[in-house]
Structures are given as C-alpha cells and as structure tokens.
C-alpha cells in the first residue's frame, strides 16, 4: 500500500526529520512534499542520473502494511534469492549504484549497521544499474561485505514500485519478518534514524 494523502501514514520525527501526521481535530492528513519534490527533480532535465530524496522517513503501522513483497533476484555472486526465503526476520534493502554520490556518502554507515545487526536482520543492497566489475570496485573501495542484488533489469525494483519511486536512489526499505514493507527512507539515510528503524523492526519480529 503506497502512502497517499488519503492513506494514514506516520513519518518519524528523529534527527530533524519532519512528521506527517493527522491534522488536529479535523480528521485530515498533513501532506508531505516528497512526491512533489521527486516529480520536480525528474522533470528538471539536469541529467545528474538520480533523484535525490530528502531523507524523509515513512513508517507503516501493522494495519497499513500491504501484502508481502514477492520477487526473485540474483546476487552478484550468482546466488538466486527469492523474497519468501527472507521471511522469518526483518530485512533491509538498500537501492544503490556506484555513480550515485549519496550512495557513496552513506556506504560506510550502512556497512557499520550491517556489522552490528547482521545476526538479527537480513541485509542486502539492490544495485539498479552497474555491471559486476563496477559494483565490486565500489564494494572494495568502501569495504562493503553485505551482498547486493544485480538488478539492472529492475525485477526487485519493480516488486517494490509502490514504495521505491523510479530513479529515487538511494532508497532504503525495511521489511518486517513477514516480508511486508515496515519503513522506508527516500534519499541518503541518517544513520541514527536508520538504526532506530532497525531496532524497531528487530523488536517487533
């Protein structure tokens, strides 16, 4: 279920991130600007190759979560992984590619979180553009040890299209233990906010 103005949504107010909440006493929802901002960037014609989200965070309550995501993807090492096999514990999916400057900026923070939570959380990159050699060069440069899907064909991205706008890279999605989207960050992730979202997912597993 994708967040809309008619859809109850709660955006975490942590580290200066704005909260989208119900308008007091009116039963109306406050509008977030992320969709408008992304649309403007998509139409800007600056050819930077990615849409820079503003780091906005959306958390989905149990009743707001849609069906479990379904996909089968191939990791860069050739391993085939389907979404059903990830269920049983929360999973983080980070959409990235090597030429994306916000992706480079958050890489070391993601690796640190992977090191801290790898026993409690599935943790995968989803590379939406690069060939294996380019992706592996990035991983060596930033000492990334968690695996990534090779997703230039867009199979994984398409399965999450309700939550991950096309070209909105980086985007980080956390699936709950049932494979449903529990949280999303559009743009470079604030590490302290992402850690809090991970902790919430792990405790709720």
């Amino acid at each position: 279920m994708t967040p809309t103005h008619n859809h109850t949504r709660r955006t975490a107010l942590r580290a200066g991130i704005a909260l989208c909440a119900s308008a007091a006493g009116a039963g109306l929802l406050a509008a977030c600007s992320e969709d408008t901002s992304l649309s403007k960037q998509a139409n800007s014609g600056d050819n930077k190759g990615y849409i820079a989200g503003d780091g906005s965070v959306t958390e989905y309550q149990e009743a707001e979560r849609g069906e479990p995501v379904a996909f089968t993807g191939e990791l860069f090492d050739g391993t085939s992984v389907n979404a059903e096999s990830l269920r049983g514990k929360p999973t983080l999916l980070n959409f990235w590619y090597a030429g994306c400057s916000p992706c480079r900026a958050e890489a070391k923070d993601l690796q640190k979180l992977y090191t801290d939570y790898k026993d409690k959380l599935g943790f995968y990159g989803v590379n939406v553009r690069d060939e294996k050699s380019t992706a592996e060069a990035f991983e060596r440069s930033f000492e990334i040890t968690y695996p990534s899907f090779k997703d230039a064909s867009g199979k994984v991205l398409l399965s999450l299209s309700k939550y991950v706008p096309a070209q909105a890279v980086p985007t980080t999605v956390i699936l709950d233990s049932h494979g449903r989207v529990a949280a999303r960050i559009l743009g470079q992730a604030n590490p302290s906010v992402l850690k809090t979202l991970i902790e919430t997912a792990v405790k709720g597993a």
Side-chain angles (χ1 to χ4, degrees):
M1 184 179 298
T2 186
T4 67
H5 295 167
N6 295 316
H7 174 268
T8 305
R9 67 184 189 175
R10 180 166 62 88
T11 300
L13 180 59
R14 301 182 184 102
I17 293 178
L19 175 69
C20 296
S22 297
L28 301 174
L29 294 181
C32 289
S33 63
E34 66 200 39
D35 295 333
T36 299
S37 174
L38 290 169
S39 296
K40 286 180 179 178
Q41 290 186 62
N43 294 323
S44 67
D46 56 14
N47 296 318
K48 65 187 177 184
Y50 63 90
I51 297 175
D54 59 5
S56 59
V57 179
T58 305
E59 290 183 273
Y60 299 86
Q61 296 298 304
E62 283 276 350
E64 299 175 326
R65 298 173 191 175
E67 295 297 317
V69 299
F71 62 81
T72 298
E74 183 178 311
L75 304 181
F76 277 106
D77 67 4
T79 302
S80 180
V81 176
N82 63 60
E84 187 174 356
S85 71
L86 303 178
R87 298 173 196 171
K89 64 180 179 181
T91 298
L92 181 148
L93 300 173
N94 174 257
F95 291 80
W96 70 282
Y97 66 92
C100 159
S101 57
C103 302
R104 295 194 296 271
E106 69 179 7
K108 290 185 178 181
D109 292 326
L110 290 171
Q111 175 60 32
K112 175 64 164 59
L113 289 168
Y114 168 68
T115 300
D116 292 345
Y117 289 97
K118 62 184 178 181
D119 293 333
K120 302 177 181 179
L121 180 83
F123 207 111
Y124 294 88
V126 182
N127 187 291
V128 299
R129 183 172 298 188
D130 300 322
E131 293 300 319
K132 182 177 181 179
S133 59
T134 303
E136 289 181 342
F138 179 99
E139 292 169 345
R140 287 193 300 272
S141 179
F142 292 98
E143 300 179 326
I144 301 299
T145 59
Y146 55 85
S148 278
F149 287 94
K150 180 180 181 180
D151 199 48
S153 64
K155 289 182 180 179
V156 179
L157 178 63
L158 183 62
S159 74
L160 287 151
S161 60
K162 291 183 180 180
Y163 304 94
V164 185
Q167 293 187 299
V169 179
T171 291
T172 301
V173 171
I174 296 178
L175 307 179
D176 66 16
S177 59
H178 302 290
R180 304 171 301 176
V181 175
R184 178 195 68 180
I185 301 178
L186 285 175
Q188 182 178 337
N190 179 299
S192 63
V193 173
L194 184 52
K195 180 177 181 179
T196 300
L197 294 175
I198 290 172
E199 288 280 0
T200 298
V202 168
K203 288 177 182 177

